[in-house]
């Protein structure tokens, strides 16, 4: 436990107790917020189902891929619309947040494609977000899509892997952001298709070839198990009774694909594999970071002489509310404490413009391999949510991310200066997370 110099000894137990209670209540509320909304759409008792998951499954390795690294909405959205335009037979989309003008633009493209005879498979997260305006925007958009003949399905979050500890099972989401055309070209990453979110600093990657086929196979399984929506404003849906299948494995080359899904939790293994083989450098931009195993791997890399830099988001809801949160970035506090104590350079991201957050989830290893996807470096991302992540070894991709990271690190960052209280809160959250997810780690 950290020492709190200057705090009266008689008050310390009282303060510690109160802070712990506040943190636990905040965590519980945050964790429960989505699931309370999700139950409107889910099968009663579904959370009691247990799925056997292959935690040690190797990420799928693919060959003969073409790749394109996309930064922020200015590059991401035109490419997403272009991929939809290119589709001749089938479009697969899976989203977390969806709504507003940008979603309407995507929807209109999909309606046009459907009229051309293209098969549209659209998977939505049933929680639709954490805030009322997000949920209302999604419902409005899905209602419009259904009325115009687009089939929309809710991802079956009740089938995602469960843990032994109750608190680890109270919030599940489909956190993937995927757009696939003809099972041959896919865009995946962190960008949410909602007007309030496209301002964010974010990354996605376009994959063409065998890697896109593997992601399409994952999306096909998701689609078969998802729930067809009849009325977005009612708990009214149908499901297909399709047996479980595991996507086909494709061997050999430069894109490795991992997921947290129905049968597989391979993202942690993919990330640890890349970090553990690093020889010279690791540069990370991450929205949320609380996973102790990844922290320890970075500390070990530092001890091997690898230069490690971590740029984190000072997560805040200021863009949604008219007040400043006193614990902005709270879920990254422990990473800052542990990594800084090990001599690793850690900074907060400083926005380029008002209302922007750094929403990216990416890490560059040895200026060669870029890890990118929807997954934060967190326990829920590795063990509970539905996530997609890839490791791409491609000089152009590595060079482009390195240039972005250099600018962000040098000109849009600041060194964290955590108070004693903030450090204590970070350690407390770490202890809670470690207890809640202790059954999930390898």
């Amino acid at each position: 436990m950290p020492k709190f110099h200057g705090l009266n000894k008689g008050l310390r137990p009282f303060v510690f107790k109160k802070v712990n209670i506040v943190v636990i209540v905040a965590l519980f509320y945050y964790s429960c917020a989505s699931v309370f909304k999700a139950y409107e759409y889910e099968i009663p008792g579904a959370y009691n189902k247990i799925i056997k998951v292959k935690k040690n499954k190797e990420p799928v390795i693919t060959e003969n891929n073409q790749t394109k690294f996309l930064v922020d909405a200015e590059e991401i959205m035109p490419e997403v619309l272009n991929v939809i335009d290119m589709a001749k037979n089938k479009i697969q989309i899976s989203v977390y947040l969806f709504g507003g003008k940008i979603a309407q633009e995507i929807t209109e493209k999909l309606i046009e494609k459907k009229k051309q005879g293209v098969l549209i498979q659209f998977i939505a997260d049933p929680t639709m977000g954490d805030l009322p305006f997000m949920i209302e925007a999604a419902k409005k958009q899905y209602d419009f899509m259904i009325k115009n003949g687009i089939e929309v399905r809710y991802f079956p979050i009740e089938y995602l892997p469960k843990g032994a500890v109750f608190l680890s099972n109270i919030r599940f989401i489909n956190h993937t952001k995927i757009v696939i055309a003809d099972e041959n070209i896919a865009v995946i990453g962190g960008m949410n298709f909602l007007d309030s979110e496209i301002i964010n600093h974010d990354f996605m990657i376009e994959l063409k070839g065998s890697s896109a086929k593997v992601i399409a196979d994952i999306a096909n399984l998701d689609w078969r198990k998802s729930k067809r929506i009849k009325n977005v404003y009612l708990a009214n849906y149908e499901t297909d009774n399709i047996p479980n299948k595991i996507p086909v494995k494709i061997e050999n080359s430069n894109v490795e694909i991992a997921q947290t899904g129905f049968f597989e939790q391979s993202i942690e293994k993919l990330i640890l594999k890349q970090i553990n083989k690093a020889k010279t450098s690791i540069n990370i931009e991450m929205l949320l970071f609380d996973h102790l195993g990844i922290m320890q791997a970075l500390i070990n890399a530092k001890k091997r002489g690898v230069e490690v830099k971590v740029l984190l988001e000072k997560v805040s809801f200021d863009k949604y509310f008219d007040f400043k949160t006193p614990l902005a970035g709270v879920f990254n506090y422990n990473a800052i404490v542990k990594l800084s104590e090990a001599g690793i350079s850690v900074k907060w991201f400083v926005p380029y413009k008002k209302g922007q957050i750094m929403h990216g989830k990416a890490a560059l290893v040895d200026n060669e391999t870029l890890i990118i996807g929807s997954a934060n470096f967190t326990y829920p991302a590795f063990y509970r949510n539905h996530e997609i992540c890839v490791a791409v070894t491609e000089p152009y991709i590595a060079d482009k991310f390195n240039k972005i990271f250099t600018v962000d690190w040098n000109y849009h960052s600041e060194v964290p200066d955590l108070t004693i209280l903030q450090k204590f809160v970070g350690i407390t959250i770490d202890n809670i997370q470690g207890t809640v997810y202790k059954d999930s780690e390898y």
Side-chain angles (χ1 to χ4, degrees):
M1 184 175 290
K3 295 181 179 179
F4 286 72
H5 299 290
L7 182 61
N8 183 283
K9 290 184 178 180
L11 292 176
R12 289 180 192 177
F14 176 80
V15 172
F16 294 162
K17 182 178 180 181
K18 292 298 183 184
V19 170
N20 271 290
I21 290 173
V22 169
V23 171
I24 291 171
V25 170
L27 277 171
F28 186 81
Y29 175 79
Y30 177 79
S31 298
C32 289
S34 289
V35 77
F36 290 153
K37 296 190 289 284
Y39 268 117
E40 180 182 350
Y41 313 104
E42 292 169 5
I43 302 170
Y47 274 84
N48 295 321
K49 296 182 180 179
I50 303 296
I51 302 292
K52 290 185 178 180
V53 181
K54 296 182 179 180
K55 293 184 180 180
N56 291 309
K57 188 178 188 300
E58 293 289 341
V60 178
I61 302 175
T62 66
E63 62 183 359
N64 301 322
N65 297 286
Q66 297 177 31
T67 56
K68 186 183 294 185
F69 181 54
L70 307 170
V71 181
D72 295 340
E74 289 77 10
E75 292 183 6
I76 292 170
M77 294 316 305
E79 200 61 35
V80 165
L81 296 172
N82 183 51
V83 168
I84 293 173
D85 276 336
M86 287 190 292
K88 299 184 183 306
N89 301 302
K90 182 179 182 180
I91 296 170
Q92 297 161 280
I93 296 180
S94 183
V95 299
Y96 175 46
L97 303 180
F98 194 74
K101 293 180 180 179
I102 193 65
Q104 182 65 24
E105 191 171 359
I106 292 173
T107 299
E108 288 173 358
K109 290 276 187 184
L110 295 178
I111 293 171
E112 180 183 337
K113 281 295 179 179
K114 181 174 175 57
K115 290 177 180 178
Q116 296 171 11
V118 176
L119 175 65
I120 311 295
Q121 296 180 343
F122 193 103
I123 300 175
D125 174 67
T127 72
M128 294 179 278
D130 291 305
L131 298 174
F133 83 89
M134 296 175 176
I135 298 168
E136 186 54 38
K139 285 185 175 182
K140 180 179 179 181
Q141 201 63 46
Y142 298 150
D143 182 56
F144 178 79
M145 294 169 74
I146 293 167
K147 287 177 178 176
N148 281 274
I150 302 295
E151 184 173 349
V152 181
R153 296 188 180 188
Y154 286 139
F155 182 87
I157 55 178
E158 68 273 13
Y159 293 158
L160 290 172
K162 314 299 184 297
V165 181
F166 167 73
L167 284 174
S168 73
N169 297 326
I170 58 177
R171 186 177 190 266
F172 296 81
I173 58 174
N174 170 37
H175 197 236
T176 60
K177 296 90 177 177
I178 306 172
V179 178
I180 310 168
D182 297 332
E183 299 190 350
N184 182 57
I185 182 167
V187 179
I188 71 164
M191 178 65 75
N192 285 304
F193 304 131
L194 177 66
D195 288 353
S196 63
E197 309 308 300
I198 60 172
I199 191 176
N200 293 340
H201 189 37
D202 221 329
F203 310 124
M204 296 191 84
I205 191 163
E206 182 180 286
L207 304 168
K208 188 174 183 180
S210 57
S211 57
K213 179 62 172 69
V214 172
I215 293 170
D217 285 341
I218 293 171
N220 283 329
L221 174 61
D222 293 348
W223 179 256
R224 290 196 298 270
K225 296 188 76 65
S226 293
K227 297 170 286 191
R228 187 183 299 111
I229 306 169
K230 289 185 175 181
N231 188 326
V232 73
Y233 292 102
L234 300 172
N236 192 352
Y237 55 80
E238 295 176 347
T239 58
D240 290 341
N241 186 20
I242 302 293
N244 298 332
K245 294 182 180 179
I246 297 177
V248 176
K249 186 173 182 179
I250 302 175
E251 300 290 350
N252 284 326
S253 193
N254 68 337
V255 177
E256 292 185 68
I257 304 167
Q259 66 160 318
T260 305
F262 301 123
F263 310 103
E264 178 183 336
Q265 296 176 347
S266 54
I267 292 177
E268 178 186 15
K269 189 162 189 172
L270 171 69
I271 295 168
L272 287 174
K273 173 185 174 182
Q274 297 298 331
I275 292 175
N276 290 339
K277 73 179 186 180
K279 296 178 180 178
T280 59
S281 64
I282 301 172
N283 295 331
I284 297 171
E285 294 205 22
M286 192 59 50
L287 174 66
L288 298 172
F289 190 173
D290 67 20
H291 192 276
L292 291 176
I294 303 299
M295 292 182 209
Q296 189 57 54
L298 293 175
I299 292 169
N300 293 342
K302 173 70 176 177
K303 291 177 180 178
R304 298 196 305 269
V306 177
E307 183 182 23
V308 181
K309 296 178 179 178
V310 180
L311 186 61
L312 298 172
E313 166 62 28
K314 189 184 288 187
V315 185
S316 173
F317 293 101
D318 295 357
K319 66 183 288 181
Y320 305 122
F321 303 108
D322 294 328
F323 61 86
K324 290 188 176 294
T325 52
L327 295 176
V330 62
F331 294 101
N332 291 327
Y333 286 173
N334 196 49
I336 291 171
V337 172
K338 286 188 178 294
L339 297 178
S340 297
E341 287 178 349
I344 292 174
S345 298
V346 185
K347 289 185 176 182
W348 288 127
F349 173 76
V350 174
Y352 286 77
K353 46 195 171 185
K354 185 177 179 181
Q356 182 185 60
I357 65 172
M358 193 274 291
H359 193 260
K361 295 98 178 168
L364 181 64
V365 178
D366 291 341
N367 289 318
E368 292 179 353
T369 301
L370 183 68
I371 304 166
I372 182 173
S374 64
N376 288 290
F377 285 1
T378 64
Y379 291 95
F382 293 169
Y383 312 132
R384 296 295 180 266
N385 298 340
H386 184 36
E387 308 273 5
I388 294 284
C389 189
V390 298
V392 181
T393 303
E394 166 63 47
Y396 156 75
I397 299 290
D399 182 63
K400 184 171 181 179
F401 176 81
N402 193 47
K403 289 176 180 176
I404 296 294
F405 180 85
T406 299
V407 173
D408 291 347
W409 183 264
N410 290 336
Y411 303 106
H412 288 274
S413 66
E414 61 186 17
V415 177
D417 184 19
L418 299 186
T419 65
I420 294 174
L421 177 60
Q422 288 173 326
K423 291 179 181 178
F424 175 74
V425 170
I427 293 170
T428 302
I429 290 175
D430 166 55
N431 290 334
I432 295 171
Q433 294 274 55
T435 301
V436 169
Y437 292 98
K438 64 182 179 181
D439 67 301
S440 301
E441 296 182 273
Y442 295 136

